[in-house]
Amino acid sequence: MFCPNCGKAEQQAESFCRQCGTFLPDFDKISSRQISPEQHFTANITLNAMTAVVSLALAITLYVIFLGKAETPVVIYLTAGFLTAIFFWQVQIFWRTLLLKKQFPGLNKKSANPAQNSASVKTRELLKEPDASVTMPPSVTEKTTARLGEKIPPKSSQSEHSSP
């Protein structure tokens, strides 16, 4: 693994770079933490349903407690109306999410892990094994940029133009 900050080769994942000290995460582990579309749909449906129920319950509570009382502030009615609007908004999102979920018929059949999908398996079968013998050894490229930060003194123009 190469350090993304300084380019030092032969680094260990989940450690710090031996040259610049940058933390090097394990990118393979990060990429395998993908959330499946089924989990997204389930989370959206659950949160929409919970929001709809809570907003309707709060609106009904406000209407029951304050409706018809003489000294009820207008803001209570506005809040109850806003909560009612939230309820209807969440119901329509819930319904649209269910309709959208039906557009993906194979959603439950596919694995959440992309490495186990049939397309990934077919691709893996078609690819050749990597040939490590053609890679460049790290010693060739190591420390080639160590002097880039140094300031080089300018050559004097007198020594170039003067002839003895």
Side-chain angles (χ1 to χ4, degrees), residues 146-156:
R147 297 187 63 199
L148 286 178
E150 293 180 14
K151 291 186 178 181
I152 300 173
K155 294 181 181 179
S156 66

Side-chain angles (χ1 to χ4, degrees), residues 28-159:
D28 294 332
K29 193 184 294 183
I30 291 171
S31 66
S32 68
R33 283 191 242 157
Q34 295 177 356
I35 299 173
S36 70
E38 176 65 30
Q39 290 172 324
H40 281 290
F41 278 118
T42 303
N44 284 342
I45 289 170
T46 304
L47 290 174
N48 286 333
M50 287 173 42
T51 305
V53 168
V54 168
S55 63
L56 182 64
L58 289 172
I60 289 172
T61 303
L62 287 175
Y63 284 130
V64 166
I65 293 173
F66 294 106
L67 189 62
K69 296 202 176 180
E71 297 180 7
T72 303
V74 176
V75 73
I76 298 295
Y77 294 118
L78 288 174
T79 304
F82 183 66
L83 288 167
T84 305
I86 290 173
F87 166 73
F88 286 114
W89 180 260
Q90 292 299 326
V91 166
Q92 69 92 16
I93 290 176
F94 179 83
W95 181 253
R96 289 175 188 246
T97 304
L98 289 177
L99 292 176
L100 182 63
K101 188 176 179 182
K102 289 180 183 177
Q103 297 296 318
F104 298 96
L107 194 61
N108 294 328
K109 296 175 185 174
K110 288 185 181 178
S111 170
N113 187 358
Q116 295 176 352
N117 288 342
S118 61
S120 297
V121 171
K122 289 178 186 175
T123 304
R124 212 175 308 121
E125 290 171 359
L126 293 173
L127 291 174
K128 297 177 183 176
E129 287 293 319
D131 184 11
S133 65
V134 296
T135 60
M136 188 174 296
S139 62
V140 173
T141 59
E142 196 170 284
K143 299 180 182 177
T144 56
T145 59
R147 297 187 63 199
L148 286 178
E150 293 180 14
K151 291 186 178 181
I152 300 173
K155 294 181 181 179
S156 66
S157 59
Q158 290 178 348
S159 62

